[in-house]
Amino acid sequence: MAAVGRLAGVSQVTVSRALSHPEKVSPDTLQRIRDAIEATGFVPNALAGALASKRSHLISALVPSLTNIVYASFIATFSAQLRSHGYQVLLSETGFDTTSEQDLIATHLSRRPDAMLLTGIHHSQQARRSLLGADIPVVEVWDITDSPIDMCVGFNHVDAGRAVANFLYEQGHKNAATITANDERALRRQSAFSETFTQLSGNAVLNSNTGGPASIGAGRRALAHLIDDTGFQRGAVFCSSDLLAHGVLIEARARGLCVPGDMAVMGFGDQDFARDLEPALTTVAIDRLALGSVAAEALLARLVRPDTKQSIFDLGFKILRRASA
Amino acid sequence: MAAVGRLAGVSQVTVSRALSHPEKVSPDTLQRIRDAIEATGFVPNALAGALASKRSHLISALVPSLTNIVYASFIATFSAQLRSHGYQVLLSETGFDTTSEQDLIATHLSRRPDAMLLTGIHHSQQARRSLLGADIPVVEVWDITDSPIDMCVGFNHVDAGRAVANFLYEQGHKNAATITANDERALRRQSAFSETFTQLSGNAVLNSNTGGPASIGAGRRALAHLIDDTGFQRGAVFCSSDLLAHGVLIEARARGLCVPGDMAVMGFGDQDFARDLEPALTTVAIDRLALGSVAAEALLARLVRPDTKQSIFDLGFKILRRASA
DNA sequence: TTACTTTATGTATGCGCATACATATCACCA
DNA sequence: TGGTGATATGTATGCGCATACATAAAGTAA
């Protein structure tokens, strides 16, 4: 920066100003500085800038999995929104484990992010302490709670499970099964569903857990297991993700079962392919774009005015009735 | 760090050493320092550390799209591998546009990454210049070239297209069509396929471009278009991604076409669901995990010994014959 | 014992920038 | 003409750490 200044005939400070407050520099000086930057190929050192100004323009984000399109898509929105405000996102995968999340939080905090996004509302005590100590805006997404670390953006998973139970019961189903990935929030929806459905129909729900992440293959295998090993035959199947539901659809067809005639299938998430399946998948829509952008807005608001009050954003959900249930 | 030192009765330097070279600090001093760190909740400032040491332990990665599982999955491996060596990955989405890539490169370089990963081998001239100027290891992935900026890890897309053409021709197909997403590498495979297949069979290939990213819906619509508007009826369909092929399978079934009896379908990528479709998808397997880890290893090697010589890693591809073709 | 090495720690310094404050110049009005 | 305020630029400083170098203490071989 000093070298650029020398070339433009000004001091380092003026170069700094030309970059961050161009309106405070006279037009011709500005031009000379810009020419000098061009000529030298100067790239400002954001590390030094952050150290001096105590603002890193970095926002850290922790998601369970990058390969899960559900997280990837909302992070894409989140990042784009923040980028347009001059922030960069430092992204890491935590897995579904609060201890590894805790380590990552410490690592991320060492980069002095201006704010942080976490997935879910369950974090280790140590993690909460670090975050509180860091004194930066924090947004927890994909779930809501009355006592967020700072802010939260999401929806109520218990309500969602209940709503699906009511919906399927009202469609006339008396029997139901669930297929759920190994994900705390999905399990919460599952038990809410199960409880409500049993209460309505008087019949127990066959709950199953794939023991891993959601995938088409896992959905196929889960349905096969449900039919072959537990004798499930007719009724509704509520899957914790569209991906599982998709696998269920494939397996059902391979077995000659008619959906929704023999078996109604519901997914969760309204992923882009849901409408393109045969039959089109009935599912629960979550506005993932809104999730990403509301989370970004919330952080930005806090960064501008640290006393911004609203801290709980319930984005809700919507049952999308299509052909499969 | 000075405060921690005061509490432990040592200077700031000793604290710094305790953190980065614990073997150079006497055991009891080390313990006192660790207790002090624990007591104060001290989190080292990586920005200052990077500024002083000129090593940021940050590696920047630019991919076209985070929501494309194909990129997400190899980046997951790449990140995990680097994390285990003490590096963090700063990830951004470039879209499929070299100008926006160029801007992102500048932004990323301002954070002084120790190395950079780029997707593909086509970059703006300006981008190449910045990268060369930054003087850091660079790895370009998903493609290979004789003249990488620094290193490249991938496979030959022209060879892949040709191999698929040979494969389908040998299966006895005389007619073929292609459905390709709007992606430079996919288009290169398409034209290689097309040229080779025409040469072998004497018949022109019906090429189509979805004009956007690959998706199940796009695959369905593309097949519908192929059949309704261009009269394609029997033959082989080579899709630029498994996702498109999946859509083709659904549309074919919806139209009562038998796969592979009436129409053979090939995908590309061997995504996890390919084996779980009905019929199971014949596709081209790319070892994405290897891609991520070889790229990470290549960068790590360069970081340790800057004169490491090998710079082109051809990972190849493999045609996986399953039921759909 | 001397001289030399090893181990443990401290002092001084600077990485590259942003900020507070000082200074200089100029326009403008009384 | 002096005084006031606005505009443009510069000087001094420190952000929090890592590194080179200096020093002190203890061990080692002759």
mmCIF file of all heavy atoms in Angstrom, chain A residues 144-175:
data_model
loop_
_atom_site.group_PDB
_atom_site.id
_atom_site.type_symbol
_atom_site.label_atom_id
_atom_site.label_comp_id
_atom_site.label_asym_id
_atom_site.label_seq_id
_atom_site.Cartn_x
_atom_site.Cartn_y
_atom_site.Cartn_z
ATOM 1 N N ILE A 144 -36.493 -23.564 15.883
ATOM 2 C CA ILE A 144 -36.692 -22.385 16.716
ATOM 3 C C ILE A 144 -36.805 -22.786 18.179
ATOM 4 O O ILE A 144 -37.137 -23.922 18.512
ATOM 5 C CB ILE A 144 -37.932 -21.561 16.308
ATOM 6 C CG1 ILE A 144 -39.155 -22.450 16.229
ATOM 7 C CG2 ILE A 144 -37.716 -20.836 15.004
ATOM 8 C CD1 ILE A 144 -40.424 -21.680 15.967
ATOM 9 N N THR A 145 -36.488 -21.849 19.024
ATOM 10 C CA THR A 145 -36.543 -22.072 20.452
ATOM 11 C C THR A 145 -36.798 -20.722 21.123
ATOM 12 O O THR A 145 -36.515 -19.678 20.544
ATOM 13 C CB THR A 145 -35.204 -22.650 20.968
ATOM 14 O OG1 THR A 145 -35.202 -22.608 22.387
ATOM 15 C CG2 THR A 145 -34.022 -21.836 20.455
ATOM 16 N N ASP A 146 -37.333 -20.773 22.325
ATOM 17 C CA ASP A 146 -37.566 -19.519 23.042
ATOM 18 C C ASP A 146 -36.272 -18.933 23.582
ATOM 19 O O ASP A 146 -36.209 -17.763 23.926
ATOM 20 C CB ASP A 146 -38.533 -19.753 24.217
ATOM 21 C CG ASP A 146 -39.931 -20.002 23.706
ATOM 22 O OD1 ASP A 146 -40.226 -19.581 22.574
ATOM 23 O OD2 ASP A 146 -40.725 -20.638 24.428
ATOM 24 N N SER A 147 -35.236 -19.769 23.681
ATOM 25 C CA SER A 147 -33.996 -19.280 24.271
ATOM 26 C C SER A 147 -32.813 -19.520 23.360
ATOM 27 O O SER A 147 -31.948 -20.342 23.646
ATOM 28 C CB SER A 147 -33.763 -19.986 25.605
ATOM 29 O OG SER A 147 -33.877 -21.393 25.421
ATOM 30 N N PRO A 148 -32.776 -18.804 22.232
ATOM 31 C CA PRO A 148 -31.631 -18.938 21.333
ATOM 32 C C PRO A 148 -30.390 -18.337 21.989
ATOM 33 O O PRO A 148 -30.503 -17.538 22.906
ATOM 34 C CB PRO A 148 -32.042 -18.125 20.117
ATOM 35 C CG PRO A 148 -33.005 -17.119 20.630
ATOM 36 C CD PRO A 148 -33.731 -17.788 21.764
ATOM 37 N N ILE A 149 -29.244 -18.729 21.493
ATOM 38 C CA ILE A 149 -28.004 -18.101 21.952
ATOM 39 C C ILE A 149 -28.110 -16.610 21.684
ATOM 40 O O ILE A 149 -27.775 -15.786 22.511
ATOM 41 C CB ILE A 149 -26.793 -18.684 21.190
ATOM 42 C CG1 ILE A 149 -26.647 -20.177 21.519
ATOM 43 C CG2 ILE A 149 -25.518 -17.934 21.533
ATOM 44 C CD1 ILE A 149 -25.539 -20.866 20.751
ATOM 45 N N ASP A 150 -28.638 -16.308 20.505
ATOM 46 C CA ASP A 150 -28.800 -14.904 20.145
ATOM 47 C C ASP A 150 -30.062 -14.745 19.302
ATOM 48 O O ASP A 150 -31.012 -14.102 19.712
ATOM 49 C CB ASP A 150 -27.546 -14.435 19.399
ATOM 50 C CG ASP A 150 -27.616 -12.983 18.991
ATOM 51 O OD1 ASP A 150 -28.479 -12.273 19.524
ATOM 52 O OD2 ASP A 150 -26.815 -12.552 18.133
ATOM 53 N N MET A 151 -30.072 -15.377 18.139
ATOM 54 C CA MET A 151 -31.253 -15.307 17.277
ATOM 55 C C MET A 151 -31.492 -16.692 16.694
ATOM 56 O O MET A 151 -30.571 -17.500 16.610
ATOM 57 C CB MET A 151 -31.004 -14.333 16.129
ATOM 58 C CG MET A 151 -30.648 -12.933 16.586
ATOM 59 S SD MET A 151 -30.491 -11.799 15.190
ATOM 60 C CE MET A 151 -28.908 -12.300 14.561
ATOM 61 N N CYS A 152 -32.700 -16.947 16.235
ATOM 62 C CA CYS A 152 -32.924 -18.184 15.505
ATOM 63 C C CYS A 152 -33.924 -17.994 14.385
ATOM 64 O O CYS A 152 -34.800 -17.137 14.453
ATOM 65 C CB CYS A 152 -33.338 -19.322 16.442
ATOM 66 S SG CYS A 152 -34.859 -19.040 17.337
ATOM 67 N N VAL A 153 -33.755 -18.779 13.340
ATOM 68 C CA VAL A 153 -34.608 -18.712 12.150
ATOM 69 C C VAL A 153 -34.949 -20.137 11.767
ATOM 70 O O VAL A 153 -34.054 -20.930 11.485
ATOM 71 C CB VAL A 153 -33.873 -18.059 10.966
ATOM 72 C CG1 VAL A 153 -34.785 -18.001 9.747
ATOM 73 C CG2 VAL A 153 -33.361 -16.673 11.320
ATOM 74 N N GLY A 154 -36.215 -20.467 11.757
ATOM 75 C CA GLY A 154 -36.564 -21.830 11.385
ATOM 76 C C GLY A 154 -38.051 -22.089 11.539
ATOM 77 O O GLY A 154 -38.861 -21.201 11.288
ATOM 78 N N PHE A 155 -38.350 -23.279 11.934
ATOM 79 C CA PHE A 155 -39.757 -23.620 12.114
ATOM 80 C C PHE A 155 -39.845 -24.667 13.213
ATOM 81 O O PHE A 155 -38.836 -25.224 13.646
ATOM 82 C CB PHE A 155 -40.369 -24.139 10.809
ATOM 83 C CG PHE A 155 -39.671 -25.365 10.291
ATOM 84 C CD1 PHE A 155 -40.169 -26.635 10.571
ATOM 85 C CD2 PHE A 155 -38.516 -25.255 9.533
ATOM 86 C CE1 PHE A 155 -39.512 -27.770 10.105
ATOM 87 C CE2 PHE A 155 -37.857 -26.383 9.067
ATOM 88 C CZ PHE A 155 -38.350 -27.642 9.351
ATOM 89 N N ASN A 156 -41.059 -24.928 13.628
ATOM 90 C CA ASN A 156 -41.266 -25.846 14.736
ATOM 91 C C ASN A 156 -41.433 -27.275 14.216
ATOM 92 O O ASN A 156 -42.417 -27.590 13.537
ATOM 93 C CB ASN A 156 -42.515 -25.388 15.497
ATOM 94 C CG ASN A 156 -42.693 -26.161 16.768
ATOM 95 O OD1 ASN A 156 -42.617 -27.397 16.762
ATOM 96 N ND2 ASN A 156 -42.920 -25.449 17.860
ATOM 97 N N HIS A 157 -40.509 -28.126 14.564
ATOM 98 C CA HIS A 157 -40.527 -29.479 14.033
ATOM 99 C C HIS A 157 -41.627 -30.341 14.635
ATOM 100 O O HIS A 157 -42.171 -31.224 13.975
ATOM 101 C CB HIS A 157 -39.152 -30.132 14.223
ATOM 102 C CG HIS A 157 -38.094 -29.510 13.359
ATOM 103 N ND1 HIS A 157 -37.630 -30.083 12.216
ATOM 104 C CD2 HIS A 157 -37.452 -28.323 13.455
ATOM 105 C CE1 HIS A 157 -36.737 -29.295 11.643
ATOM 106 N NE2 HIS A 157 -36.612 -28.211 12.390
ATOM 107 N N VAL A 158 -41.951 -30.082 15.872
ATOM 108 C CA VAL A 158 -43.038 -30.820 16.501
ATOM 109 C C VAL A 158 -44.360 -30.482 15.799
ATOM 110 O O VAL A 158 -45.136 -31.369 15.441
ATOM 111 C CB VAL A 158 -43.101 -30.507 18.008
ATOM 112 C CG1 VAL A 158 -44.384 -31.033 18.611
ATOM 113 C CG2 VAL A 158 -41.883 -31.087 18.722
ATOM 114 N N ASP A 159 -44.570 -29.196 15.568
ATOM 115 C CA ASP A 159 -45.778 -28.792 14.848
ATOM 116 C C ASP A 159 -45.836 -29.459 13.478
ATOM 117 O O ASP A 159 -46.905 -29.886 13.031
ATOM 118 C CB ASP A 159 -45.794 -27.275 14.638
ATOM 119 C CG ASP A 159 -46.112 -26.539 15.935
ATOM 120 O OD1 ASP A 159 -46.425 -27.211 16.939
ATOM 121 O OD2 ASP A 159 -46.028 -25.295 15.928
ATOM 122 N N ALA A 160 -44.686 -29.541 12.817
ATOM 123 C CA ALA A 160 -44.663 -30.122 11.477
ATOM 124 C C ALA A 160 -45.067 -31.598 11.529
ATOM 125 O O ALA A 160 -45.880 -32.068 10.727
ATOM 126 C CB ALA A 160 -43.272 -29.960 10.857
ATOM 127 N N GLY A 161 -44.505 -32.333 12.481
ATOM 128 C CA GLY A 161 -44.850 -33.748 12.612
ATOM 129 C C GLY A 161 -46.337 -33.919 12.877
ATOM 130 O O GLY A 161 -47.008 -34.771 12.265
ATOM 131 N N ARG A 162 -46.857 -33.089 13.751
ATOM 132 C CA ARG A 162 -48.295 -33.174 14.066
ATOM 133 C C ARG A 162 -49.141 -32.849 12.854
ATOM 134 O O ARG A 162 -50.151 -33.500 12.590
ATOM 135 C CB ARG A 162 -48.627 -32.161 15.167
ATOM 136 C CG ARG A 162 -48.152 -32.599 16.528
ATOM 137 C CD ARG A 162 -48.716 -31.659 17.583
ATOM 138 N NE ARG A 162 -48.138 -31.969 18.873
ATOM 139 C CZ ARG A 162 -47.740 -31.054 19.760
ATOM 140 N NH1 ARG A 162 -47.874 -29.760 19.490
ATOM 141 N NH2 ARG A 162 -47.224 -31.436 20.910
ATOM 142 N N ALA A 163 -48.738 -31.823 12.123
ATOM 143 C CA ALA A 163 -49.531 -31.399 10.967
ATOM 144 C C ALA A 163 -49.608 -32.526 9.937
ATOM 145 O O ALA A 163 -50.661 -32.767 9.340
ATOM 146 C CB ALA A 163 -48.912 -30.147 10.349
ATOM 147 N N VAL A 164 -48.488 -33.229 9.747
ATOM 148 C CA VAL A 164 -48.499 -34.325 8.783
ATOM 149 C C VAL A 164 -49.419 -35.439 9.278
ATOM 150 O O VAL A 164 -50.185 -36.032 8.496
ATOM 151 C CB VAL A 164 -47.071 -34.861 8.538
ATOM 152 C CG1 VAL A 164 -47.108 -36.109 7.677
ATOM 153 C CG2 VAL A 164 -46.208 -33.787 7.889
ATOM 154 N N ALA A 165 -49.381 -35.718 10.570
ATOM 155 C CA ALA A 165 -50.258 -36.752 11.134
ATOM 156 C C ALA A 165 -51.720 -36.391 10.884
ATOM 157 O O ALA A 165 -52.518 -37.216 10.419
ATOM 158 C CB ALA A 165 -49.981 -36.911 12.627
ATOM 159 N N ASN A 166 -52.061 -35.159 11.159
ATOM 160 C CA ASN A 166 -53.432 -34.728 10.935
ATOM 161 C C ASN A 166 -53.828 -34.839 9.469
ATOM 162 O O ASN A 166 -54.899 -35.333 9.133
ATOM 163 C CB ASN A 166 -53.609 -33.267 11.384
ATOM 164 C CG ASN A 166 -53.812 -33.174 12.880
ATOM 165 O OD1 ASN A 166 -54.676 -33.853 13.442
ATOM 166 N ND2 ASN A 166 -52.999 -32.361 13.537
ATOM 167 N N PHE A 167 -52.915 -34.389 8.630
ATOM 168 C CA PHE A 167 -53.178 -34.425 7.197
ATOM 169 C C PHE A 167 -53.447 -35.848 6.718
ATOM 170 O O PHE A 167 -54.447 -36.127 6.048
ATOM 171 C CB PHE A 167 -51.988 -33.822 6.456
ATOM 172 C CG PHE A 167 -52.040 -33.985 4.964
ATOM 173 C CD1 PHE A 167 -52.822 -33.145 4.179
ATOM 174 C CD2 PHE A 167 -51.305 -34.988 4.332
ATOM 175 C CE1 PHE A 167 -52.873 -33.293 2.806
ATOM 176 C CE2 PHE A 167 -51.350 -35.150 2.961
ATOM 177 C CZ PHE A 167 -52.133 -34.296 2.192
ATOM 178 N N LEU A 168 -52.568 -36.771 7.073
ATOM 179 C CA LEU A 168 -52.722 -38.150 6.600
ATOM 180 C C LEU A 168 -53.964 -38.802 7.197
ATOM 181 O O LEU A 168 -54.673 -39.553 6.517
ATOM 182 C CB LEU A 168 -51.461 -38.975 6.919
ATOM 183 C CG LEU A 168 -50.232 -38.612 6.078
ATOM 184 C CD1 LEU A 168 -49.010 -39.402 6.523
ATOM 185 C CD2 LEU A 168 -50.500 -38.876 4.587
ATOM 186 N N TYR A 169 -54.241 -38.486 8.443
ATOM 187 C CA TYR A 169 -55.439 -39.057 9.073
ATOM 188 C C TYR A 169 -56.686 -38.560 8.357
ATOM 189 O O TYR A 169 -57.606 -39.312 8.070
ATOM 190 C CB TYR A 169 -55.470 -38.701 10.559
ATOM 191 C CG TYR A 169 -56.653 -39.303 11.263
ATOM 192 C CD1 TYR A 169 -56.673 -40.672 11.565
ATOM 193 C CD2 TYR A 169 -57.760 -38.527 11.600
ATOM 194 C CE1 TYR A 169 -57.773 -41.242 12.197
ATOM 195 C CE2 TYR A 169 -58.857 -39.094 12.226
ATOM 196 C CZ TYR A 169 -58.861 -40.452 12.525
ATOM 197 O OH TYR A 169 -59.946 -41.013 13.140
ATOM 198 N N GLU A 170 -56.656 -37.296 8.050
ATOM 199 C CA GLU A 170 -57.818 -36.722 7.363
ATOM 200 C C GLU A 170 -57.988 -37.274 5.952
ATOM 201 O O GLU A 170 -59.073 -37.236 5.391
ATOM 202 C CB GLU A 170 -57.699 -35.191 7.313
ATOM 203 C CG GLU A 170 -58.148 -34.561 8.636
ATOM 204 C CD GLU A 170 -57.762 -33.095 8.723
ATOM 205 O OE1 GLU A 170 -57.431 -32.515 7.661
ATOM 206 O OE2 GLU A 170 -57.786 -32.548 9.848
ATOM 207 N N GLN A 171 -56.894 -37.769 5.370
ATOM 208 C CA GLN A 171 -56.995 -38.413 4.063
ATOM 209 C C GLN A 171 -57.613 -39.799 4.205
ATOM 210 O O GLN A 171 -57.779 -40.495 3.219
ATOM 211 C CB GLN A 171 -55.605 -38.602 3.437
ATOM 212 C CG GLN A 171 -54.793 -37.340 3.265
ATOM 213 C CD GLN A 171 -55.354 -36.459 2.176
ATOM 214 O OE1 GLN A 171 -55.552 -36.919 1.059
ATOM 215 N NE2 GLN A 171 -55.662 -35.219 2.508
ATOM 216 N N GLY A 172 -57.885 -40.196 5.434
ATOM 217 C CA GLY A 172 -58.543 -41.484 5.636
ATOM 218 C C GLY A 172 -57.610 -42.623 6.008
ATOM 219 O O GLY A 172 -58.033 -43.774 6.105
ATOM 220 N N HIS A 173 -56.348 -42.337 6.228
ATOM 221 C CA HIS A 173 -55.432 -43.412 6.587
ATOM 222 C C HIS A 173 -55.574 -43.798 8.045
ATOM 223 O O HIS A 173 -55.699 -42.947 8.906
ATOM 224 C CB HIS A 173 -53.986 -42.998 6.303
ATOM 225 C CG HIS A 173 -53.741 -42.770 4.849
ATOM 226 N ND1 HIS A 173 -53.643 -43.790 3.943
ATOM 227 C CD2 HIS A 173 -53.622 -41.627 4.135
ATOM 228 C CE1 HIS A 173 -53.455 -43.294 2.727
ATOM 229 N NE2 HIS A 173 -53.451 -41.980 2.821
ATOM 230 N N LYS A 174 -55.569 -45.117 8.255
ATOM 231 C CA LYS A 174 -55.684 -45.608 9.634
ATOM 232 C C LYS A 174 -54.362 -46.205 10.119
ATOM 233 O O LYS A 174 -54.148 -46.384 11.310
ATOM 234 C CB LYS A 174 -56.774 -46.693 9.729
ATOM 235 C CG LYS A 174 -58.155 -46.217 9.312
ATOM 236 C CD LYS A 174 -58.684 -45.139 10.247
ATOM 237 C CE LYS A 174 -60.070 -44.661 9.794
ATOM 238 N NZ LYS A 174 -60.277 -43.231 10.086
ATOM 239 N N ASN A 175 -53.510 -46.577 9.138
ATOM 240 C CA ASN A 175 -52.218 -47.152 9.497
ATOM 241 C C ASN A 175 -51.105 -46.283 8.935
ATOM 242 O O ASN A 175 -51.227 -45.749 7.841
ATOM 243 C CB ASN A 175 -52.069 -48.553 8.889
ATOM 244 C CG ASN A 175 -52.981 -49.528 9.598
ATOM 245 O OD1 ASN A 175 -52.855 -49.749 10.794
ATOM 246 N ND2 ASN A 175 -53.925 -50.072 8.853
#
